């Protein structure tokens, strides 16, 4: 574990390996713990960089809302601090994907390739926005634990949830390491995030789209839609995986990333 100062907060991160930098951005309400199988499983072919976003894991919390553009800028400063000047492969899962799309809008020249995992391009519907408000209110009133317990059964594939109690416990611990300020900051930022559909139409970078077949948070049809929009994209649907496909099926996920990295 290492730390670096990004703007006004201390960011915690892990780093392993050498060569092509690949930066993994976690989702909500998660942390760099999400990427443990990638940190250990891909370090032989790349320089794997895994930060905690503000208010998540062991990074300091700052007042929200956390706009996707601000999170993308935090990630850019993180790369600057580490002296990473060559183009990076950016992989974002779910909210991390929203941040990756914002990063592309702001810093495309810093990117070599893109990996979008369990994410979607659209902005929130009215119903989704109202649900963000409810979740934020609940987190403020009762702490993140209520939000975590409600989300936990849906964030993994039903099969994973029933058959892998240790993984369920790992995910619970990761989610509970999110501060209330961090969770509320995400919710308020995601609620106002822009529609990235037009961004996807402009992306010429090699792009890998990965999605769990049993994702109950973001349906796989979102991945199929993104594949149609991004000209240079490859789509892989991962069986036996829900929203946290890289944790649920680490070998399949890492193999897909490996063969993609060989090509870029
Ligand atoms: C995530 O996993 O990052 C979130 O579920 C995304 C969202 O709520 O839109």
């Amino acid at each position: 574990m290492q730390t670096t100062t990004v703007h006004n907060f201390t960011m915690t991160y892990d780093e392993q390996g050498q060569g092509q930098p690949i930066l993994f951005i976690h989702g909500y309400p998660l942390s760099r713990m999400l990427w443990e199988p990638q940190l250990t499983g891909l370090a032989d072919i790349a320089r794997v960089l895994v930060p905690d976003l503000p208010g998540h894991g062991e990074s300091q919390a700052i007042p929200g809302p956390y706009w996707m553009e601000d999170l993308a800028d935090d990630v850019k400063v993180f790369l600057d601090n580490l002296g990473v000047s060559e183009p990076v492969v950016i992989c974002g899962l779910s909210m991390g994907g929203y941040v990756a799309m914002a990063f592309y809008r702001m810093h495309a020249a810093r990117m070599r390739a893109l990996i979008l995992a369990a994410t979607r391009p659209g902005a929130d519907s009215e119903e989704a926005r109202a649900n963000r408000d409810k979740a934020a209110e609940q987190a403020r009133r009762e702490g993140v634990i209520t939000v975590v317990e409600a989300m936990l059964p849906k964030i993994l594939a039903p099969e994973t949830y029933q058959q892998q109690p240790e993984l369920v416990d790992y995910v619970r611990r990761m989610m509970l390491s999110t501060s209330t300020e961090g969770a509320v900051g995400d919710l308020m930022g995601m609620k106002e995030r822009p529609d990235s559909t037009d961004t996807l139409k402009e992306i010429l970078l090699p792009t890998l789209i990965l999605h769990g077949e049993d994702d109950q948070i973001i349906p796989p049809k979102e991945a199929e839609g993104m594949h149609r929009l991004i000209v240079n994209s490859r789509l892989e649907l991962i069986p036996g995986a829900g929203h946290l496909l890289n944790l649920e099926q680490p070998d399949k996920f890492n193999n897909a990333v490996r063969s993609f990295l060989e090509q870029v």
Side-chain angles (χ1 to χ4, degrees), residues 26-30 93-98 118-120 124 128 132 151 155 186-187 190 193 217-218 243-244:
H26 65 75
Y28 157 88
L30 307 170
L93 181 138
S94 201
M95 183 185 77
Y98 310 155
T119 194
R120 57 155 71 97
D124 273 6
R132 302 275 191 214
M151 201 173 170
I155 208 162
D186 288 347
L187 288 162
M190 287 194 287
R193 76 184 187 281
I217 305 255
I218 299 184
H243 196 53
L244 305 187

Side-chain angles (χ1 to χ4, degrees), residues 194-209:
D195 189 315
S196 292
T197 307
D198 287 341
T199 305
L200 298 195
K201 293 181 194 157
E202 288 165 18
I203 296 178
L204 298 175
L205 293 170
T207 301
L208 176 64
I209 300 166

Side-chain angles (χ1 to χ4, degrees), residues 38-208:
Q38 286 62 52
L39 187 67
T40 50
L42 295 170
D44 60 321
I45 51 156
R47 180 178 180 193
V48 184
L49 303 169
V50 187
D52 276 335
L53 295 173
H56 294 258
E58 293 169 280
S59 281
Q60 220 178 339
I62 48 173
Y66 297 171
W67 310 123
M68 299 302 110
E69 285 69 18
D70 285 349
L71 295 175
D73 192 56
D74 292 341
V75 162
K76 187 236 165 219
V77 172
F78 166 69
L79 291 173
D80 291 343
N81 288 359
L82 267 68
V84 177
S85 53
E86 68 268 48
V88 297
V89 178
I90 301 230
C91 173
L93 181 138
S94 201
M95 183 185 77
Y98 310 155
V99 176
M101 292 180 236
F103 190 98
Y104 175 83
R105 280 194 288 278
M106 297 158 70
H107 308 292
R110 299 286 297 266
M111 293 177 70
R112 174 93 178 261
L114 174 65
I115 304 174
L116 294 171
T119 194
R120 57 155 71 97
D124 273 6
S125 63
E126 275 314 308
E127 189 191 350
R129 288 163 56 87
N131 286 337
R132 302 275 191 214
D133 286 334
K134 273 192 222 147
E137 188 41 41
Q138 207 168 29
R140 282 191 202 99
R141 219 180 31 237
E142 297 160 28
V144 283
I145 188 152
T146 325
V147 177
V148 167
E149 292 303 339
M151 201 173 170
L152 195 55
K154 288 182 288 184
I155 208 162
L156 296 164
E159 210 182 312
T160 314
Y161 190 69
Q162 283 152 21
Q163 294 175 6
Q164 295 197 56
E166 280 172 18
L167 187 62
V168 174
D169 189 52
Y170 183 86
V171 172
R172 180 185 279 112
R173 278 190 286 120
M174 165 169 56
M175 293 167 93
L176 287 175
S177 72
T178 309
S179 64
T180 300
E181 200 169 25
V184 172
D186 288 347
L187 288 162
M188 295 301 96
M190 287 194 287
K191 179 183 159 190
E192 303 297 341
R193 76 184 187 281
D195 189 315
S196 292
T197 307
D198 287 341
T199 305
L200 298 195
K201 293 181 194 157
E202 288 165 18
I203 296 178
L204 298 175
L205 293 170
T207 301
L208 176 64

